[in-house]
Structures are given as structure tokens and as C-alpha cells.
Amino acid sequence: MASEALLVAMVVALALSNALLVTSESEYNKVKIWPMPASVSYGHSHLYLSNDFEHSTNYDSGLLKDAFNRMLAVIRLDHIIEANFSALHLSPLLRGLHIVISSSNHQLQYGIDESYKLTVPSPENPGYAHLEAQTVYGALHGLQTFSQLCHFNFTSRVLEVHMSPWTIIDQPRFSYRGLLIDTSRHYLPLPIVKKVIDSMSYAKLNVLHWHIVDSQSFPLEIPSYPKLWDGAYSPSERYTVADAAEVVSYAQQRGINVLAEIDVPGHARSWGTGYPSLWPSKDCQQPLDVSKEFTFKVIDGILSDFSKIFNFKFVHLGGDEVNTSCWTITPHISKWLREHGMNESQAYQYFILRAQNVALSHGYEIVNWEETFNDFGNKLSRKTVVHNWLGGGVARQVVASGLRCIVSNQDKWYLDHLDTTWQEFYANEPLTNITNLKQQKLVIGGEVCMWGETIDGSDIEQTIWPRAAAAAERLWTPYDKLAKNPREVTGRLAHSGVY
């Protein structure tokens, strides 16, 4: 037994001495990890996972145990593992994964440390792989990477790790890496939402932007104003408060924050189904009535209820595509505008800024679509993140003004634009023409948007992937490690299985 352990140690030591640091494009093509880590070295040996592969850790949390079990399910894919290790010629055997986490804080929030270091096998203990991270959420990313190193061998019926030893040191380029789903245009059942969240974790995306309500429907329960979800498509196409809390919890267990959105004042016709006084009139139903205190009381009630469910530091208040003609042609609003010395543009600004103040009062920082910046950027709260979607050049203007920005330019990162290829998603650079280092840091990340007009639960996943994965690598991988030509990564993307 001692001689066998010595032989394993000698094989590992020899492999470590021959490890290759990945620096060239040809070497990167051999690495089948998505998104590409910040630093990778590999060797030329094989390891095998024992049938009872386990984990040990200094971190006492069901969150990590559940994540490890999910990882095992991913790499096993329900195959029957029936390896005869005696026939594997004493190739090194991995008995488990040792996980060391520095921080006991498990509160997920924007900007949390997501770095990790993975060594397979551990030089100190060759029978185990070693994963270390500052936080449990960095460890979750390390588990995802480890899962991509493992393969089921259909001949030997064993799980293998090729190209060992591996040393991977990794952290994200951007702190905000988002995917938008839209449950107003088409209702998405909870199991579908959860499957989308699972798939996000495989690509290391970390923000689910939930565009919950819009003109078409209002599916979410709001206890403060219980008639709002009368605007749902049907009584069965709704989310209770408990449902929403479950989505948040499910996402957080996978290292994903949930950004909730109410899009005001323009995309809100469905609000008036339950509360018709929110409409300017029965015949002119949006934007929301700017002249009534009740409008802002409802917004306050929604955000008060949100604060008990959605604990991300940001809330999205929309603000895009506001056609104010209903305000000018509705007599009581037109009179209110005259009495307050406002034209319709000034009323739009008044509405946005007042809604921002409501959000701030509930402890949120604010995300608004870019029209708010384009029209009155110097009036926005300094706690605003501007969400760029219309076109190029806006992100540069936003950060030059000192505000933060999320990039989702529709010509490259809108998933409902089916003619936009994955190569275009990959090549879209959030920092285009932003050369000032201080201003670059104000671009907190980017987001791909799966608007719901033409998709539902039957086809959302195949519409999101693999194009969202292409953007995910752009947002995770250091700029100098990204492929200059997307065609160089075709094989790695196809192999990754993140779609």
C-alpha cells in the first residue's frame, strides 16, 4: 500500500514538472473551459475520479454541499459509473476535492470577491484536488470549472481528468454579468425560470435581470396593492410573493443576484387593470398618470414590498420609450402641467426623479434605461447606473459624466434579434472607445437581454444559448486573453456544453 502511494506521488510530481502555462492561441485551443480563466497551466497526464469522490471543507454550509452535489450530477450525467480501477495501470486516482474558503460571510451582493484557485491534483495531497477561494461564491465558480475538466469515458466507464496537472487562477473581469428575462410579454413557469438560472451558473453569469411586469401583463403579487396582479394574463399565470422569494433564494444558492424591474412610467398599462385611476384616461392608458399622488403611493408600495423580497442593492426603474402624448391630451393632466409650469418633457423628468427618490428611500441604488441620461443626465441621482441599450457611444458619455453604466447595446446583445450571430455577441466590447482607466471602472459590466415578445417556456433556452455564453466570456475573461477572432473559439464553445 505504501509503495502504491509512493508511485502515485512520483507520477504526480513528474506531471507537475511538465506542466505547461497557457500563453499562446494554439495552447488555448486545447483548453476546453468556458469562459476562459485568467490563468491556466496544464500537463499531459490522466487522472481518474474514484467512485465515491467526496469533498472536504473548512466551510460549514449547506450551500457548498448542495453545490458540490450539483457538480457531481453535472459530470456524471446519470451515467452508471462502474470502473474497474485495477485495470487502469495504477494511474493516479482522485479521491476527492478539498475546498478552503477564507471568509465565513455568505451574504451575496454586488462586488463580492468571486476569485478562486484550483489545482488538480494538489501538490501537497495528490489524492485530492484543491480549491481555495476568498468567498463561497468564488468556490462555486471553481466547482463549475472543475466540472468542465471531467469527462466520462465510455470504454472504461470511469470519470477522467485529462491534461493534468491543472493550475487555474481565476477571477471575473466585470462584477456585473447579466441576463434579462421578460415575464410580461410571455409568462414563464417557475421551473423554466429555474432552468435558466441553472444555465447561467454554468457560464458564470451572476445577475438575473427580471423584467417582471410591462404593458402586457402584471403577473407579480404586490401585497400593498393586491389588485395589481389583476393585470396578469390569467389567474394561473402569476407569481406569488413566495414564488418570487424562491426565485431569489434559488439564484443566490448559485451565486446569482436578482435585479427586479418595474418599468415606469411608460411600460405600465397593465397596472391600470386593477387600479384604473393609474391611467391618464380609459382611452389613453399610458404612461402612468404623473398628476396623481396615488401613482407615487403605488410605486412606493411596490418598492416597499420589493425590499422584503429582492435584496440586491440595485432596483431597475426602467424609464425608456415614454410617449408623453397622453399627458398633453388628457384634460386633468394638461391642467396639472400648466399649474406646475411644466411641459411634457419636464414632467417626464419630474416622474423619473421622484421615482428615484422613492427607491432611494427604500435603500436601493437605481438602474435606469439610457433615455433618462440622454434627456437629463445631469439631474439623475449620483447613485444611478445608466443602462445603455440604444446604441454605441452612450457608455462613453455616461462614464465621462461620472455615472456608472451597464452595456446592453441592442445591435449586439439583444437575444431576441435572431439574426445577430454568436460571433457578434463575442466581439462586442463594453469598453469600446473608453481609454481612461478611472472611467473604465465605471462600466460595471454588461447584460444580454432575452425580451419575451417572440419566446416562451418552450424555446427560451435554445434562444438564449449559445449566444449568451459568447457574451459571458467577454464579461468574465481578461481582455488580453479573449480571442481576437471569434472563430478561434468555435471548438471550445461547442465542447463546453454551456448551452
Side-chain angles (χ1 to χ4, degrees):
M1 190 71 181
S3 60
E4 179 181 325
L6 178 62
L7 178 59
V8 169
M10 290 174 63
V11 170
V12 170
L14 178 63
L16 285 170
S17 68
N18 293 324
L20 177 65
L21 180 64
V22 177
T23 56
S24 70
E25 291 179 2
S26 61
E27 290 161 1
Y28 268 107
N29 289 335
K30 298 176 184 177
V31 175
K32 306 300 185 184
I33 303 172
W34 196 281
M36 179 61 73
S39 173
V40 181
S41 68
Y42 63 87
H44 305 285
S45 300
H46 280 54
L47 297 174
Y48 301 98
L49 270 64
S50 68
N51 288 341
D52 54 354
F53 189 78
E54 62 181 4
H55 83 288
S56 60
T57 182
N58 68 328
Y59 188 81
D60 184 17
S61 169
L63 188 154
L64 185 61
K65 180 179 179 181
D66 291 344
F68 179 82
N69 290 334
R70 290 196 302 271
M71 182 206 71
L72 285 182
V74 166
I75 62 179
R76 287 172 174 164
L77 291 174
D78 291 332
H79 292 302
I80 304 301
I81 310 299
E82 49 184 8
N84 178 7
F85 290 106
S86 63
L88 297 178
H89 309 295
L90 288 178
S91 293
L93 185 66
L94 273 183
R95 301 186 183 281
L97 173 63
H98 185 53
I99 305 171
V100 177
I101 297 172
S102 301
S103 172
S104 60
N105 180 17
H106 60 270
Q107 181 65 44
L108 179 64
Q109 195 48 265
Y110 169 76
I112 196 168
D113 191 310
E114 298 177 89
S115 65
Y116 67 92
K117 180 180 179 181
L118 177 65
T119 51
V120 186
S122 166
E124 291 79 20
N125 187 355
Y128 283 76
H130 185 81
L131 172 61
E132 58 186 82
Q134 182 67 30
T135 71
V136 67
Y137 299 104
L140 296 188
H141 294 314
L143 290 173
Q144 293 295 347
T145 298
F146 182 80
S147 74
Q148 294 186 44
L149 303 182
C150 301
H151 313 274
F152 179 73
N153 185 316
F154 282 88
T155 301
S156 60
R157 309 291 198 271
V158 66
L159 291 169
E160 301 178 337
V161 176
H162 301 162
M163 296 166 53
S164 71
W166 291 91
T167 299
I168 297 170
I169 302 172
D170 203 9
Q171 64 182 29
R173 181 184 177 202
F174 292 101
S175 294
Y176 184 108
R177 306 177 305 280
L179 167 68
L180 177 148
I181 61 170
D182 172 7
T183 57
S184 174
R185 275 54 177 257
H186 277 94
Y187 178 81
L188 296 174
L190 282 174
I192 298 297
V193 175
K194 289 182 174 181
K195 289 180 72 175
V196 170
I197 291 169
D198 285 335
S199 63
M200 289 175 65
S201 70
Y202 304 148
K204 300 185 174 73
L205 294 175
N206 71 341
V207 179
L208 177 70
H209 176 177
W210 191 0
H211 188 88
I212 307 173
V213 304
D214 207 291
S215 297
Q216 288 83 352
S217 73
F218 197 116
L220 180 64
E221 179 184 20
I222 302 295
S224 296
Y225 290 91
K227 293 182 181 180
L228 281 170
W229 72 349
D230 288 358
Y233 285 125
S234 71
S236 63
E237 293 171 294
R238 290 172 166 175
Y239 307 102
T240 66
V241 167
D243 292 337
E246 169 64 13
V247 169
V248 170
S249 174
Y250 191 89
Q252 288 180 342
Q253 291 167 25
R254 288 151 182 80
I256 295 170
N257 284 297
V258 178
L259 172 67
E261 180 180 0
I262 54 169
D263 196 347
V264 295
H267 285 257
R269 185 177 64 245
S270 63
W271 297 33
T273 304
Y275 297 96
S277 63
L278 292 169
W279 291 332
S281 70
K282 184 178 179 180
D283 299 321
C284 209
Q285 297 178 345
Q286 65 182 17
L288 294 169
D289 191 334
V290 67
S291 71
K292 291 180 179 174
E293 283 299 306
F294 180 64
T295 299
F296 297 97
K297 287 182 179 179
V298 171
I299 292 172
D300 181 66
I302 292 172
L303 295 180
S304 176
D305 290 346
F306 271 21
S307 69
K308 301 176 182 69
I309 306 167
F310 301 105
N311 52 14
F312 195 30
K313 72 180 291 184
F314 300 110
V315 69
H316 205 304
L317 297 180
D320 62 313
E321 299 180 319
V322 180
N323 181 346
T324 56
S325 59
C326 272
W327 290 347
T328 57
I329 66 174
T330 303
H332 77 268
I333 300 179
S334 179
K335 178 183 177 184
W336 182 88
L337 292 174
R338 290 194 303 272
E339 290 173 349
H340 287 79
M342 292 186 198
N343 60 31
E344 55 192 292
S345 297
Q346 292 168 323
Y348 168 50
Q349 175 183 311
Y350 164 83
F351 195 110
I352 294 296
L353 298 184
R354 188 164 176 188
Q356 285 200 336
N357 285 332
V358 173
L360 290 168
S361 75
H362 290 288
Y364 283 117
E365 296 183 28
I366 307 126
V367 184
N368 276 114
W369 294 108
E370 72 172 66
E371 288 95 325
T372 59
F373 174 81
N374 296 339
D375 288 5
F376 43 88
N378 62 335
K379 297 289 182 22
L380 294 172
S381 164
R382 301 310 290 176
K383 291 188 175 182
T384 302
V385 180
V386 177
H387 199 161
N388 160 231
W389 73 280
L390 284 171
V394 173
R396 180 169 54 85
Q397 297 171 32
V398 169
V399 297
S401 77
L403 292 176
R404 293 164 293 176
C405 188
I406 296 168
V407 174
S408 294
N409 45 316
Q410 63 173 336
D411 58 328
K412 301 298 183 184
W413 275 359
Y414 267 29
L415 291 157
D416 56 310
H417 292 194
L418 299 181
D419 56 344
T420 305
T421 65
W422 74 260
Q423 291 92 337
E424 292 175 280
F425 273 73
Y426 190 93
N428 190 45
E429 172 50 47
L431 299 185
T432 297
N433 296 326
I434 303 173
T435 56
N436 181 287
L437 293 179
K438 184 177 180 181
Q439 293 178 7
Q440 287 181 351
K441 292 178 180 178
L442 292 174
V443 178
I444 67 173
E447 178 179 294
V448 291
C449 300
M450 185 66 268
W451 295 107
E453 287 90 345
T454 58
I455 59 95
D456 60 16
S458 70
D459 61 353
I460 184 172
E461 290 184 280
Q462 55 264 49
T463 309
I464 290 173
W465 309 106
R467 293 179 301 159
E473 177 153 298
R474 174 65 54 171
L475 293 168
W476 178 275
T477 301
Y479 181 79
D480 61 354
K481 298 287 174 63
L482 292 164
K484 301 303 179 281
N485 185 334
R487 283 182 293 183
E488 297 168 6
V489 304
T490 302
R492 182 162 56 86
L493 177 60
H495 183 272
S496 67
V498 294
Y499 60 90

